[in-house]
Amino acid sequence: MSESAEREVAQPGDNERDVAEPGDSAPALLSRTALAVFRLGGQFLAVSERLARPVGLTAARWQVLGAVLGEPLSVAQIARVMGITRQSVQRVADLLVADGLAEYRPNPAHRRAKLLAPTAEGRAAVGAISPGHRGFAGQLCEQLGGEAEFAAVADALRRLSEAVEALEDQHGQIRNR
């Protein structure tokens, strides 16, 4: 790679410019976007830990419980929705069940893949996080300039996720053209 091409691609720790500019190359945009998403993921994890800690949950436990509040799901379904490994979800699900915050139920569609559902205690724990969650959401919305801007950010992140997913095959390999 030429010296000018190396300068064009943002490297980890390269924070000379945090904002993409017209004319940035696709590799530079990908690197800058990935670094921003990694940082944002860490920030969301830290906020989630702070919100969940007072009710005795971790961010991971809150995330898994939150995934099944609407309807019971299998561990594999939760993993797909969350974009993490089935093994990670299984470990957290087993801990939630052991602590009485969730329970396994029979799955009519698959005898071996049980469904995870929150217990009343699990729903109460998530409910106890809601005031802090609402407060932080309101502050973040205000910081972003209002609900329309917040919605635009959420939509852009969803589109980015869908685009990355479209470029991966069923085995997680990146498609090269």
Side-chain angles (χ1 to χ4, degrees), residues 62-161:
W62 179 22
Q63 192 175 21
V64 171
L65 274 174
V68 297
L69 286 178
E71 67 178 319
L73 298 172
S74 70
V75 167
Q77 290 171 312
I78 297 166
R80 274 193 296 277
V81 167
M82 293 172 49
I84 60 176
T85 67
R86 188 194 58 74
Q87 293 84 353
S88 296
V89 174
Q90 186 69 63
R91 182 184 59 77
V92 173
D94 289 344
L95 292 170
L96 289 167
V97 169
D99 289 345
L101 298 170
E103 63 186 6
Y104 288 116
R105 295 182 180 168
N107 183 348
H110 193 286
R111 200 166 38 98
R112 289 184 50 211
K114 301 268 188 247
L115 298 175
L116 185 72
T119 62
E121 187 178 341
R123 285 185 182 281
V126 172
I129 297 170
S130 292
H133 180 261
R134 262 192 309 280
F136 182 76
Q139 291 173 336
L140 185 56
C141 185
E142 185 179 313
Q143 184 70 30
L144 287 169
E147 289 182 6
E149 185 62 27
F150 202 168
V153 170
D155 186 54
L157 289 171
R158 179 195 49 77
R159 289 189 351 257
L160 178 62
S161 177

Side-chain angles (χ1 to χ4, degrees), residues 30 160-170 172-177:
L30 174 59
L160 178 62
S161 177
E162 289 172 355
V164 170
E165 185 175 44
L167 295 175
E168 294 181 341
D169 69 17
Q170 62 182 339
Q173 300 296 312
I174 296 173
R175 295 183 193 140
N176 290 318
R177 294 182 190 178

